[in-house]
Amino acid sequence: MWESTPFADMVREAAEPDGVTYRKLAERAIDPRTGQSLNHNALWKIANGDPIKISPWIVRAVAVAIDRDERDVQLAAAEQYIGLTAGDPFDATSPEATVVVAHVPGLRKADMPRVEELLRRFASGDAESGQSTS
């Protein structure tokens, strides 16, 4: 029995509408950087939560196959295979920089005051030393 995770859910949900098969998804599952393609069997394993040897090209190929943003697919894969939740709980992303904080599931902004302090110092230009003055 598979465990529901965002990465598996993404692949499964992409196959649900109009009876799209994993073979059909695999036709599009080509990494734009390396040209490597992912087969239908690997997509089925991902969708069912079966273990696979994950690598960046596989995540990129899945993103293309399911027509999702590569960053969203990377974050979902990190949660499924590493057990970390990643995102921007501080709303600190700007046009100049993307902020991604990896943390154990269940943590909220209020649970990470040192991370928030570091981001504030960085945004103010006072993050040279990386050390807190308090």
Side-chain angles (χ1 to χ4, degrees):
M1 179 171 189
W2 53 268
E3 180 180 331
S4 180
T5 65
F7 189 55
D9 290 348
M10 283 180 173
V11 175
R12 222 175 16 261
E13 289 166 6
E16 285 176 0
D18 303 321
V20 174
T21 65
Y22 293 114
R23 284 186 193 276
K24 197 72 169 163
L25 283 179
E27 291 174 9
R28 301 188 305 246
I30 301 169
D31 175 21
R33 292 190 200 162
T34 66
Q36 291 178 278
S37 59
L38 197 58
N39 67 36
H40 69 281
N41 200 23
L43 288 169
W44 183 89
K45 284 182 175 187
I46 292 168
N48 285 284
D50 289 350
I52 66 163
K53 184 177 179 184
I54 196 76
S55 66
W57 78 265
I58 290 173
V59 174
R60 290 189 299 264
V62 168
V64 171
I66 66 174
D67 195 28
R68 295 285 297 263
D69 180 71
E70 183 180 324
R71 175 66 61 162
D72 292 340
V73 178
Q74 288 171 327
L75 296 175
E79 184 171 347
Q80 178 167 333
Y81 291 104
I82 301 171
L84 294 177
T85 299
D88 182 2
F90 303 100
D91 249 353
T93 295
S94 70
E96 297 84 30
T98 299
V99 173
V100 177
V101 178
H103 56 85
V104 295
L107 286 182
R108 298 165 297 140
K109 176 182 174 179
D111 300 322
M112 299 179 272
R114 293 191 62 154
V115 174
E116 185 172 24
E117 175 191 347
L118 177 65
L119 288 172
R120 285 181 197 274
R121 286 193 4 253
F122 182 76
S124 72
D126 187 31
E128 277 188 36
S129 69
Q131 300 289 324
S132 177
T133 56
S134 53

